Amino acid sequence: MPTTAQEDPPRDDPDLVQVADPNQRLQSLTHALLLVAGAFLAAGVVQQFGLLALDGLGLTEESAPLLTQLVPMALHFATFILVGTSYLLWRNDRGLVPFRFPTSHDVRWILLGFAVLVASLVTLEFVLSQLGLEPAQNTSVEIGNDQPELFLYYIPLVILLNAPGEELLFRGVVQGVLRTSYGVIPGIIGAAVIFGAVHYVALVGTGSRIAYVLVAFVSGLVLGALHEYTENLLVPVSVHACWNVVIYLNLYVGATNLL
């Protein structure tokens, strides 16, 4: 694997699969699950305070429909960043989540990773369609279908908060914690399972929730593998952001009948 930049502390290089002390493995799994649960709980509380603040300013769903959708979303992912960063500071282990400004090598892996992610998800959705399974929709997509301009506003949020927040929490902290006790491969799979599972609660409509969870799981595998190989969190962040930007642009075009 490429080495991290000199300013980053060296990261332990665990085996692909390793057998750690049972207590250590239980502790790592507990930390991972509590981190995710805590992040979602904290995000929910922060979102409510945000909505109360907007209401206090006279900005309601009727008078400011865009703000009342965008502010909670922004606060949600900003809280993920806060929780992930706080855990790293508490653990005092910056090497757990290596990152650096992307090098030319990283840029190549961003492009390749994006291509692999697209190919993987297109293949998966084809298989699901052959099985008669249509993934359910994310809540943000359902809302955006009624207010298509939201899809355009989602784009900067994805780049600045959504992708960094989810990647820091799931690929960075959760995968990093699991890696230290279970090894690289179980760490990737475990983080992807958790990533897929948490998307279950954000789905609406009549589509298959399990199908959507599988899509999120496969995305997590690709992004997790990219993080492990490049040892740079900004690589999966960039791939994640690019994918979501393409999705939202496509949804905007479809909702507004531009083509």
Side-chain angles (χ1 to χ4, degrees):
M1 293 183 183
T3 57
T4 56
Q6 290 184 349
E7 63 269 16
D8 285 339
R11 185 177 74 161
D12 291 336
D13 190 17
D15 297 329
L16 293 180
V17 178
Q18 67 181 37
V19 180
D21 175 80
N23 290 331
Q24 182 184 347
R25 300 182 78 171
L26 178 60
Q27 182 184 62
S28 294
L29 181 59
T30 302
H31 278 206
L33 294 176
L34 287 179
L35 271 167
V36 174
F40 274 89
L41 179 61
V45 172
V46 171
Q47 284 179 311
Q48 289 304 310
F49 276 110
L51 288 172
L52 287 174
L54 289 176
D55 188 63
L57 295 172
L59 301 172
T60 64
E61 189 173 347
E62 291 74 24
S63 63
L66 292 179
L67 271 180
T68 54
Q69 295 299 331
L70 294 171
V71 169
M73 181 178 180
L75 291 175
H76 179 85
F77 295 112
T79 304
F80 278 13
I81 295 174
L82 178 61
V83 170
T85 302
S86 298
Y87 178 79
L88 291 177
L89 291 174
W90 172 78
R91 187 181 174 110
N92 193 27
D93 184 8
R94 184 185 166 195
L96 186 72
V97 184
F99 66 92
R100 62 182 176 274
F101 189 81
T103 63
S104 58
H105 178 271
D106 293 327
V107 172
R108 288 194 294 271
W109 274 102
I110 289 171
L111 296 175
L112 179 60
F114 180 72
V116 171
L117 181 63
V118 171
S120 299
L121 295 183
V122 168
T123 301
L124 176 60
E125 292 195 12
F126 173 77
V127 172
L128 292 173
S129 68
Q130 296 304 301
L131 297 174
L133 296 174
E134 180 181 353
Q137 287 190 332
N138 188 283
T139 305
S140 63
V141 174
E142 185 77 8
I143 296 171
N145 286 332
D146 296 327
Q147 304 176 68
E149 63 272 25
L150 272 174
F151 291 132
L152 298 181
Y153 287 106
Y154 286 160
I155 290 174
L157 288 183
V158 162
I159 296 171
L160 298 175
L161 294 172
N162 182 341
E166 289 194 334
E167 293 309 305
L168 173 61
L169 182 63
F170 291 99
R171 250 60 63 189
V173 177
V174 171
Q175 184 170 308
V177 167
L178 295 177
R179 181 204 312 116
T180 60
S181 298
Y182 294 88
V184 172
I185 293 177
I188 293 173
I189 295 173
V193 167
I194 297 173
F195 183 65
V198 299
H199 280 78
Y200 186 89
V201 298
L203 302 176
V204 294
T206 58
S208 170
R209 293 192 174 205
I210 297 301
Y212 190 98
V213 167
L214 282 174
V215 170
F217 170 71
V218 171
S219 300
L221 290 179
V222 174
L223 295 169
L226 284 171
H227 179 45
E228 287 297 335
Y229 182 77
T230 62
E231 294 187 359
N232 185 1
L233 186 68
L234 293 185
V235 172
V237 167
S238 300
V239 173
H240 187 154
C242 288
W243 172 251
N244 279 14
V245 167
V246 169
I247 291 296
Y248 285 135
L249 285 175
N250 183 60
L251 288 169
Y252 177 75
V253 169
T256 55
N257 297 314
L258 286 180
L259 296 179

